[in-house]
Amino acid sequence: MSATPDTVTTPTFQLDGEEIPFQPGQTIIQAALAAGKYIPHLCFHPEFKPHGSCKLCLVKISGRPAASCTTVAQAGLSVESEIPEVQDKRRTLVQMLLVEGNHFCPSCEKSGNCMLQALGYELGVMSPHFPQIFPVRPVDASHKEILLDFNRCILCELCVRASNEVDQKNVFALAGRGISKHLIVNSESGRLADTNFSATDKAAQVCPVGVILPKRVGFAIPIGKRKFDLKPISDPGASAGCAEHAEGGA
Amino acid sequence: MDRKLKVATTSLAGCFGCHMSFLDIDERLLDLIQLIEFDRSPLTDIKHCGPCDLGIIEGGVCNAENVHVLREFRRNCKILIALGACAINGGLPAQRNQLDLRDILEEVYQTEPGLTHGGIPNDPELPLPLNKVHPIHEVVKIDYFLPGCPPPADAIWKFLTDLLAGRTPHLGHGLLHYD
Ligand code: SF4
Ligand code: SF4
Ligand code: FES
């Protein structure tokens, strides 16, 4: 079968019954978002290599579960995303993330701009379901421009990746294992002030939740008027081209 | 509906904000009162809960009395609703959970300059504080959860009217808020 250039058609796969075109090499979530179809995600960011850790982007491909941010699209695949079985699992993942940290949204500067919270709204998460762990995680307010509130970290490593790959500063890392895994700052004192971190770093812009917060601007836009207060995270206006990542900060 | 549904409400470790938001349904209270009557509630001053169709709980559990009240509600109410952030995940009162209870009491009542140094209160009338503040679903089974700090009046109205009409309550974007 030799195709001449004008008979070559863009390959497609099916997402919830809809044909999604893709470029060879694109992952399922990349092709879906480019086609204006939202698939939930937290650790995926269009500017970074897939991480595959949060599993919010779970889909079923020909009946088998897979992370759509790490699975390369292939012609003819049948992908299911918005089916009750998958949505239920995503809901459980959000609940587990909520009880693992200390997520007191009313006092969080990120509220309304937070991807975890917006996914809770999107999936209709009404309760934490699980017992709260209430971990003890002191904040780091040492830096002049940035507050670190570790209580809300979901370990997506976007700041780690951004600081390494873009800023070339290697300010953040994950330490520990299993339930005691946590974000650390790479300085001898462990304090952010003792690194060369700056508020203009890429790593200061990518946190999907309320950990890395610019100081003194937190409530410039009042609660109730923020991005996901106005539009659900699945809205093409909020997610096409991943606008939810574009603005960063609080 | 041949008889009015009996509804009880209470505030445990909360700030009464959820009750205030409930009252913010304003004139719709007049429609609601056609369908329900209040049993134990800060709105009636009835001290103990009788058999009820619906119990609405604001606030988490921060002391021994909260546990008793919550259990009284569970024994008497067919359906229990957790109303607001504190009932659902501990909310503001649970912000003390990262601290040691004894340290908090000593700082507030003994060592903090400028505060009266009368010692840590130990009147037997006072309910004993728990080491940690807990969401109510960690103590009794909860049937429905209505998030928000407080949940907006429109969300409370939608939730209750869905429930009274026999539908599964559904809030959707704009009414479901955690803040
Ligand atoms: S990070 Fe998000 S979910 Fe967590 S407290 Fe802040 S707004 Fe709420
Ligand atoms: S601080 Fe934010 S970006 Fe960094 S790992 Fe935690 S959640 Fe991810
Ligand atoms: S977005 Fe795919 S695993 Fe996190």
Tab-separated table of all heavy atoms in Angstrom, chain A residues 98-149:
chain	number	residue	atom	x	y	z
A	98	LEU	N	-7.010	14.854	48.302
A	98	LEU	CA	-7.512	15.845	49.261
A	98	LEU	C	-7.209	15.435	50.705
A	98	LEU	O	-6.807	16.269	51.517
A	98	LEU	CB	-9.014	16.065	49.074
A	98	LEU	CG	-9.420	16.851	47.817
A	98	LEU	CD1	-10.943	16.859	47.651
A	98	LEU	CD2	-8.904	18.280	47.851
A	99	VAL	N	-7.387	14.152	51.052
A	99	VAL	CA	-7.159	13.763	52.455
A	99	VAL	C	-5.673	13.588	52.783
A	99	VAL	O	-5.283	13.627	53.949
A	99	VAL	CB	-7.930	12.482	52.876
A	99	VAL	CG1	-9.418	12.669	52.705
A	99	VAL	CG2	-7.438	11.246	52.143
A	100	GLU	N	-4.849	13.407	51.754
A	100	GLU	CA	-3.414	13.237	52.008
A	100	GLU	C	-2.730	14.523	52.442
A	100	GLU	O	-1.715	14.508	53.124
A	100	GLU	CB	-2.727	12.766	50.722
A	100	GLU	CG	-2.450	11.291	50.690
A	100	GLU	CD	-1.815	10.909	49.370
A	100	GLU	OE1	-0.851	11.572	48.943
A	100	GLU	OE2	-2.322	9.960	48.765
A	101	GLY	N	-3.276	15.655	51.978
A	101	GLY	CA	-2.702	16.949	52.356
A	101	GLY	C	-3.647	17.667	53.299
A	101	GLY	O	-4.583	17.068	53.831
A	102	ASN	N	-3.378	18.948	53.511
A	102	ASN	CA	-4.309	19.780	54.281
A	102	ASN	C	-4.895	20.809	53.323
A	102	ASN	O	-4.264	21.827	53.060
A	102	ASN	CB	-3.573	20.459	55.441
A	102	ASN	CG	-3.070	19.442	56.450
A	102	ASN	OD1	-3.828	18.606	56.942
A	102	ASN	ND2	-1.781	19.479	56.748
A	103	HIS	N	-6.049	20.502	52.792
A	103	HIS	CA	-6.666	21.375	51.793
A	103	HIS	C	-7.843	22.118	52.401
A	103	HIS	O	-8.971	21.645	52.387
A	103	HIS	CB	-7.101	20.562	50.564
A	103	HIS	CG	-5.940	20.001	49.819
A	103	HIS	ND1	-5.263	20.709	48.852
A	103	HIS	CD2	-5.302	18.815	49.932
A	103	HIS	CE1	-4.269	19.973	48.383
A	103	HIS	NE2	-4.266	18.819	49.024
A	104	PHE	N	-7.528	23.279	52.974
A	104	PHE	CA	-8.566	24.121	53.545
A	104	PHE	C	-8.801	25.259	52.547
A	104	PHE	O	-8.220	26.337	52.658
A	104	PHE	CB	-8.119	24.617	54.929
A	104	PHE	CG	-9.101	25.527	55.590
A	104	PHE	CD1	-10.448	25.193	55.653
A	104	PHE	CD2	-8.692	26.724	56.152
A	104	PHE	CE1	-11.369	26.036	56.253
A	104	PHE	CE2	-9.608	27.575	56.756
A	104	PHE	CZ	-10.947	27.225	56.800
A	105	CYS	N	-9.618	24.990	51.555
A	105	CYS	CA	-9.790	25.922	50.426
A	105	CYS	C	-10.158	27.355	50.839
A	105	CYS	O	-9.677	28.299	50.215
A	105	CYS	CB	-10.817	25.388	49.443
A	105	CYS	SG	-10.339	23.838	48.661
A	106	PRO	N	-11.025	27.544	51.867
A	106	PRO	CA	-11.415	28.928	52.163
A	106	PRO	C	-10.231	29.839	52.504
A	106	PRO	O	-10.329	31.046	52.353
A	106	PRO	CB	-12.352	28.784	53.380
A	106	PRO	CG	-12.861	27.391	53.295
A	106	PRO	CD	-11.765	26.577	52.677
A	107	SER	N	-9.117	29.272	52.962
A	107	SER	CA	-7.983	30.150	53.283
A	107	SER	C	-6.856	29.995	52.269
A	107	SER	O	-5.752	30.475	52.507
A	107	SER	CB	-7.450	29.862	54.689
A	107	SER	OG	-6.565	28.761	54.656
A	108	CYS	N	-7.128	29.351	51.145
A	108	CYS	CA	-6.069	29.098	50.161
A	108	CYS	C	-6.118	30.144	49.061
A	108	CYS	O	-7.145	30.342	48.429
A	108	CYS	CB	-6.232	27.709	49.566
A	108	CYS	SG	-5.007	27.304	48.314
A	109	GLU	N	-4.974	30.793	48.838
A	109	GLU	CA	-4.930	31.840	47.820
A	109	GLU	C	-5.209	31.294	46.429
A	109	GLU	O	-5.610	32.026	45.533
A	109	GLU	CB	-3.555	32.521	47.834
A	109	GLU	CG	-3.317	33.290	49.111
A	109	GLU	CD	-1.984	34.018	49.127
A	109	GLU	OE1	-1.375	34.155	48.056
A	109	GLU	OE2	-1.574	34.440	50.211
A	110	LYS	N	-4.972	30.019	46.238
A	110	LYS	CA	-5.149	29.418	44.906
A	110	LYS	C	-6.617	29.075	44.619
A	110	LYS	O	-6.968	28.737	43.492
A	110	LYS	CB	-4.288	28.156	44.824
A	110	LYS	CG	-4.110	27.602	43.428
A	110	LYS	CD	-3.089	28.386	42.636
A	110	LYS	CE	-2.796	27.682	41.303
A	110	LYS	NZ	-1.612	28.261	40.654
A	111	SER	N	-7.448	29.140	45.639
A	111	SER	CA	-8.852	28.742	45.477
A	111	SER	C	-9.474	29.464	44.281
A	111	SER	O	-9.327	30.667	44.124
A	111	SER	CB	-9.634	29.080	46.756
A	111	SER	OG	-10.824	28.344	46.793
A	112	GLY	N	-10.146	28.709	43.432
A	112	GLY	CA	-10.738	29.286	42.225
A	112	GLY	C	-9.821	29.210	41.016
A	112	GLY	O	-10.280	29.266	39.883
A	113	ASN	N	-8.499	29.103	41.275
A	113	ASN	CA	-7.539	28.921	40.188
A	113	ASN	C	-6.840	27.565	40.281
A	113	ASN	O	-5.859	27.326	39.591
A	113	ASN	CB	-6.455	30.012	40.233
A	113	ASN	CG	-7.013	31.382	39.910
A	113	ASN	OD1	-7.907	31.504	39.070
A	113	ASN	ND2	-6.519	32.409	40.577
A	114	CYS	N	-7.333	26.715	41.152
A	114	CYS	CA	-6.635	25.472	41.494
A	114	CYS	C	-7.185	24.315	40.656
A	114	CYS	O	-8.389	24.104	40.589
A	114	CYS	CB	-6.848	25.185	42.980
A	114	CYS	SG	-6.396	23.524	43.482
A	115	MET	N	-6.275	23.566	40.038
A	115	MET	CA	-6.718	22.472	39.171
A	115	MET	C	-7.303	21.301	39.968
A	115	MET	O	-8.221	20.632	39.510
A	115	MET	CB	-5.562	21.992	38.291
A	115	MET	CG	-5.212	23.006	37.200
A	115	MET	SD	-3.799	22.507	36.199
A	115	MET	CE	-4.417	21.020	35.410
A	116	LEU	N	-6.761	21.053	41.157
A	116	LEU	CA	-7.291	19.955	41.971
A	116	LEU	C	-8.733	20.256	42.392
A	116	LEU	O	-9.634	19.422	42.267
A	116	LEU	CB	-6.405	19.747	43.208
A	116	LEU	CG	-6.878	18.692	44.210
A	116	LEU	CD1	-6.923	17.310	43.572
A	116	LEU	CD2	-5.988	18.676	45.444
A	117	GLN	N	-8.928	21.474	42.877
A	117	GLN	CA	-10.271	21.897	43.291
A	117	GLN	C	-11.235	21.874	42.098
A	117	GLN	O	-12.360	21.373	42.191
A	117	GLN	CB	-10.172	23.313	43.859
A	117	GLN	CG	-11.455	23.881	44.377
A	117	GLN	CD	-11.288	25.381	44.672
A	117	GLN	OE1	-11.027	26.173	43.772
A	117	GLN	NE2	-11.415	25.752	45.930
A	118	ALA	N	-10.754	22.402	40.955
A	118	ALA	CA	-11.608	22.465	39.761
A	118	ALA	C	-11.990	21.063	39.287
A	118	ALA	O	-13.089	20.842	38.781
A	118	ALA	CB	-10.903	23.230	38.649
A	119	LEU	N	-11.060	20.112	39.471
A	119	LEU	CA	-11.383	18.734	39.111
A	119	LEU	C	-12.403	18.148	40.085
A	119	LEU	O	-13.263	17.361	39.700
A	119	LEU	CB	-10.116	17.869	39.092
A	119	LEU	CG	-9.371	17.899	37.776
A	119	LEU	CD1	-8.069	17.131	37.885
A	119	LEU	CD2	-10.234	17.296	36.675
A	120	GLY	N	-12.306	18.545	41.351
A	120	GLY	CA	-13.317	18.139	42.332
A	120	GLY	C	-14.695	18.618	41.890
A	120	GLY	O	-15.676	17.866	41.932
A	121	TYR	N	-14.760	19.872	41.436
A	121	TYR	CA	-16.043	20.412	40.964
A	121	TYR	C	-16.504	19.648	39.715
A	121	TYR	O	-17.664	19.279	39.581
A	121	TYR	CB	-15.910	21.898	40.600
A	121	TYR	CG	-15.531	22.829	41.735
A	121	TYR	CD1	-15.128	24.129	41.465
A	121	TYR	CD2	-15.586	22.423	43.059
A	121	TYR	CE1	-14.787	25.010	42.490
A	121	TYR	CE2	-15.244	23.296	44.089
A	121	TYR	CZ	-14.846	24.589	43.793
A	121	TYR	OH	-14.510	25.457	44.798
A	122	GLU	N	-15.563	19.463	38.796
A	122	GLU	CA	-15.868	18.816	37.517
A	122	GLU	C	-16.440	17.407	37.727
A	122	GLU	O	-17.383	16.997	37.066
A	122	GLU	CB	-14.571	18.743	36.691
A	122	GLU	CG	-14.677	18.037	35.359
A	122	GLU	CD	-15.480	18.834	34.351
A	122	GLU	OE1	-15.594	20.058	34.526
A	122	GLU	OE2	-16.011	18.219	33.408
A	123	LEU	N	-15.829	16.695	38.678
A	123	LEU	CA	-16.214	15.299	38.880
A	123	LEU	C	-17.324	15.167	39.924
A	123	LEU	O	-17.783	14.062	40.206
A	123	LEU	CB	-14.988	14.486	39.318
A	123	LEU	CG	-13.849	14.427	38.278
A	123	LEU	CD1	-12.560	13.953	38.921
A	123	LEU	CD2	-14.237	13.517	37.119
A	124	GLY	N	-17.743	16.287	40.516
A	124	GLY	CA	-18.799	16.230	41.524
A	124	GLY	C	-18.340	15.570	42.813
A	124	GLY	O	-19.064	14.765	43.401
A	125	VAL	N	-17.121	15.898	43.260
A	125	VAL	CA	-16.624	15.351	44.530
A	125	VAL	C	-17.271	16.130	45.678
A	125	VAL	O	-16.973	17.293	45.894
A	125	VAL	CB	-15.081	15.446	44.612
A	125	VAL	CG1	-14.591	15.004	45.986
A	125	VAL	CG2	-14.443	14.593	43.519
A	126	MET	N	-18.178	15.468	46.397
A	126	MET	CA	-18.947	16.142	47.449
A	126	MET	C	-18.340	15.929	48.830
A	126	MET	O	-18.683	16.635	49.769
A	126	MET	CB	-20.388	15.629	47.455
A	126	MET	CG	-21.107	15.754	46.130
A	126	MET	SD	-21.272	17.464	45.592
A	126	MET	CE	-22.648	18.000	46.590
A	127	SER	N	-17.490	14.923	48.969
A	127	SER	CA	-16.936	14.629	50.297
A	127	SER	C	-15.539	14.058	50.148
A	127	SER	O	-15.179	13.551	49.094
A	127	SER	CB	-17.810	13.594	51.013
A	127	SER	OG	-17.468	12.294	50.559
A	128	PRO	N	-14.736	14.117	51.227
A	128	PRO	CA	-13.406	13.501	51.157
A	128	PRO	C	-13.471	11.970	51.205
A	128	PRO	O	-12.520	11.306	50.868
A	128	PRO	CB	-12.681	14.046	52.384
A	128	PRO	CG	-13.681	14.800	53.190
A	128	PRO	CD	-14.998	14.781	52.507
A	129	HIS	N	-14.596	11.439	51.641
A	129	HIS	CA	-14.846	9.990	51.734
A	129	HIS	C	-13.900	9.273	52.702
A	129	HIS	O	-14.338	8.558	53.573
A	129	HIS	CB	-14.777	9.323	50.350
A	129	HIS	CG	-15.056	7.839	50.404
A	129	HIS	ND1	-16.329	7.350	50.494
A	129	HIS	CD2	-14.227	6.760	50.436
A	129	HIS	CE1	-16.272	6.023	50.566
A	129	HIS	NE2	-15.023	5.644	50.537
A	130	PHE	N	-12.599	9.478	52.534
A	130	PHE	CA	-11.615	8.796	53.382
A	130	PHE	C	-11.358	9.617	54.652
A	130	PHE	O	-11.641	10.808	54.687
A	130	PHE	CB	-10.303	8.612	52.621
A	130	PHE	CG	-10.470	7.809	51.359
A	130	PHE	CD1	-10.458	8.424	50.115
A	130	PHE	CD2	-10.674	6.442	51.422
A	130	PHE	CE1	-10.637	7.678	48.955
A	130	PHE	CE2	-10.854	5.689	50.272
A	130	PHE	CZ	-10.834	6.301	49.035
A	131	PRO	N	-10.798	8.979	55.696
A	131	PRO	CA	-10.402	9.760	56.880
A	131	PRO	C	-9.267	10.720	56.519
A	131	PRO	O	-8.379	10.361	55.749
A	131	PRO	CB	-9.908	8.699	57.877
A	131	PRO	CG	-10.341	7.385	57.332
A	131	PRO	CD	-10.523	7.542	55.854
A	132	GLN	N	-9.311	11.923	57.088
A	132	GLN	CA	-8.254	12.905	56.850
A	132	GLN	C	-6.967	12.439	57.508
A	132	GLN	O	-6.992	11.978	58.649
A	132	GLN	CB	-8.645	14.259	57.473
A	132	GLN	CG	-9.869	14.907	56.861
A	132	GLN	CD	-9.578	15.572	55.527
A	132	GLN	OE1	-8.432	15.863	55.201
A	132	GLN	NE2	-10.620	15.800	54.754
A	133	ILE	N	-5.859	12.612	56.834
A	133	ILE	CA	-4.577	12.241	57.432
A	133	ILE	C	-4.028	13.379	58.300
A	133	ILE	O	-3.342	13.133	59.282
A	133	ILE	CB	-3.577	11.832	56.323
A	133	ILE	CG1	-4.070	10.517	55.702
A	133	ILE	CG2	-2.165	11.681	56.871
A	133	ILE	CD1	-3.239	9.994	54.573
A	134	PHE	N	-4.377	14.618	57.979
A	134	PHE	CA	-3.886	15.799	58.718
A	134	PHE	C	-2.374	15.737	58.936
A	134	PHE	O	-1.897	15.752	60.080
A	134	PHE	CB	-4.591	15.933	60.082
A	134	PHE	CG	-6.064	16.274	59.991
A	134	PHE	CD1	-7.018	15.492	60.652
A	134	PHE	CD2	-6.500	17.383	59.283
A	134	PHE	CE1	-8.377	15.808	60.587
A	134	PHE	CE2	-7.857	17.703	59.213
A	134	PHE	CZ	-8.800	16.916	59.862
A	135	PRO	N	-1.599	15.644	57.861
A	135	PRO	CA	-0.139	15.604	58.031
A	135	PRO	C	0.377	16.940	58.574
A	135	PRO	O	-0.279	17.968	58.405
A	135	PRO	CB	0.372	15.392	56.598
A	135	PRO	CG	-0.684	16.008	55.736
A	135	PRO	CD	-1.991	15.747	56.451
A	136	VAL	N	1.520	16.889	59.244
A	136	VAL	CA	2.133	18.117	59.767
A	136	VAL	C	3.193	18.584	58.765
A	136	VAL	O	4.198	17.904	58.554
A	136	VAL	CB	2.766	17.863	61.148
A	136	VAL	CG1	3.487	19.112	61.637
A	136	VAL	CG2	1.692	17.437	62.135
A	137	ARG	N	2.937	19.694	58.115
A	137	ARG	CA	3.873	20.190	57.097
A	137	ARG	C	4.037	21.700	57.229
A	137	ARG	O	3.283	22.463	56.639
A	137	ARG	CB	3.335	19.891	55.688
A	137	ARG	CG	3.118	18.414	55.380
A	137	ARG	CD	2.773	18.295	53.916
A	137	ARG	NE	2.245	17.005	53.544
A	137	ARG	CZ	1.557	16.793	52.428
A	137	ARG	NH1	1.304	17.796	51.606
A	137	ARG	NH2	1.125	15.592	52.124
A	138	PRO	N	5.022	22.138	58.018
A	138	PRO	CA	5.218	23.587	58.215
A	138	PRO	C	5.475	24.303	56.886
A	138	PRO	O	6.064	23.725	55.973
A	138	PRO	CB	6.459	23.650	59.108
A	138	PRO	CG	6.589	22.289	59.708
A	138	PRO	CD	5.992	21.326	58.740
A	139	VAL	N	5.022	25.560	56.814
A	139	VAL	CA	5.231	26.332	55.595
A	139	VAL	C	6.641	26.945	55.615
A	139	VAL	O	7.293	26.997	56.658
A	139	VAL	CB	4.182	27.469	55.450
A	139	VAL	CG1	2.780	26.899	55.483
A	139	VAL	CG2	4.356	28.533	56.520
A	140	ASP	N	7.109	27.379	54.451
A	140	ASP	CA	8.391	28.071	54.332
A	140	ASP	C	8.114	29.467	53.781
A	140	ASP	O	7.808	29.631	52.606
A	140	ASP	CB	9.310	27.271	53.388
A	140	ASP	CG	10.655	27.969	53.147
A	140	ASP	OD1	10.809	29.146	53.538
A	140	ASP	OD2	11.546	27.325	52.558
A	141	ALA	N	8.181	30.458	54.676
A	141	ALA	CA	7.898	31.841	54.271
A	141	ALA	C	9.194	32.635	54.156
A	141	ALA	O	9.185	33.866	54.140
A	141	ALA	CB	6.953	32.497	55.277
A	142	SER	N	10.331	31.934	54.059
A	142	SER	CA	11.631	32.620	54.159
A	142	SER	C	11.946	33.502	52.944
A	142	SER	O	12.624	34.511	53.070
A	142	SER	CB	12.743	31.569	54.328
A	142	SER	OG	12.801	30.723	53.181
A	143	HIS	N	11.431	33.120	51.777
A	143	HIS	CA	11.783	33.848	50.551
A	143	HIS	C	11.051	35.190	50.479
A	143	HIS	O	9.891	35.286	50.876
A	143	HIS	CB	11.438	32.971	49.342
A	143	HIS	CG	12.055	33.419	48.063
A	143	HIS	ND1	11.493	34.388	47.272
A	143	HIS	CD2	13.185	33.021	47.429
A	143	HIS	CE1	12.257	34.567	46.198
A	143	HIS	NE2	13.289	33.749	46.274
A	144	LYS	N	11.728	36.204	49.948
A	144	LYS	CA	11.132	37.549	49.886
A	144	LYS	C	9.839	37.577	49.072
A	144	LYS	O	8.890	38.277	49.404
A	144	LYS	CB	12.105	38.530	49.210
A	144	LYS	CG	13.251	38.990	50.065
A	144	LYS	CD	13.891	40.255	49.505
A	144	LYS	CE	14.335	40.163	48.046
A	144	LYS	NZ	15.406	39.208	47.737
A	145	GLU	N	9.834	36.837	47.960
A	145	GLU	CA	8.733	36.999	46.998
A	145	GLU	C	7.760	35.831	46.951
A	145	GLU	O	6.655	35.971	46.419
A	145	GLU	CB	9.319	37.178	45.590
A	145	GLU	CG	10.233	38.375	45.451
A	145	GLU	CD	11.048	38.296	44.172
A	145	GLU	OE1	11.709	37.259	43.939
A	145	GLU	OE2	11.011	39.267	43.409
A	146	ILE	N	8.176	34.677	47.458
A	146	ILE	CA	7.374	33.457	47.277
A	146	ILE	C	7.146	32.747	48.608
A	146	ILE	O	8.083	32.576	49.391
A	146	ILE	CB	8.094	32.481	46.306
A	146	ILE	CG1	8.229	33.094	44.907
A	146	ILE	CG2	7.387	31.140	46.246
A	146	ILE	CD1	6.972	33.125	44.082
A	147	LEU	N	5.899	32.348	48.836
A	147	LEU	CA	5.573	31.505	49.990
A	147	LEU	C	5.442	30.054	49.517
A	147	LEU	O	4.859	29.797	48.474
A	147	LEU	CB	4.237	31.948	50.602
A	147	LEU	CG	3.638	31.011	51.654
A	147	LEU	CD1	4.405	31.086	52.964
A	147	LEU	CD2	2.164	31.320	51.893
A	148	LEU	N	5.997	29.138	50.287
A	148	LEU	CA	5.804	27.711	50.003
A	148	LEU	C	4.875	27.128	51.059
A	148	LEU	O	5.225	27.063	52.235
A	148	LEU	CB	7.132	26.957	50.064
A	148	LEU	CG	8.151	27.172	48.959
A	148	LEU	CD1	9.341	26.248	49.184
A	148	LEU	CD2	7.534	26.920	47.596
A	149	ASP	N	3.684	26.697	50.635
A	149	ASP	CA	2.780	26.024	51.568
A	149	ASP	C	2.687	24.545	51.198
A	149	ASP	O	1.887	24.145	50.362
A	149	ASP	CB	1.393	26.672	51.568
A	149	ASP	CG	0.554	26.157	52.727
A	149	ASP	OD1	0.809	25.009	53.171
A	149	ASP	OD2	-0.339	26.886	53.199
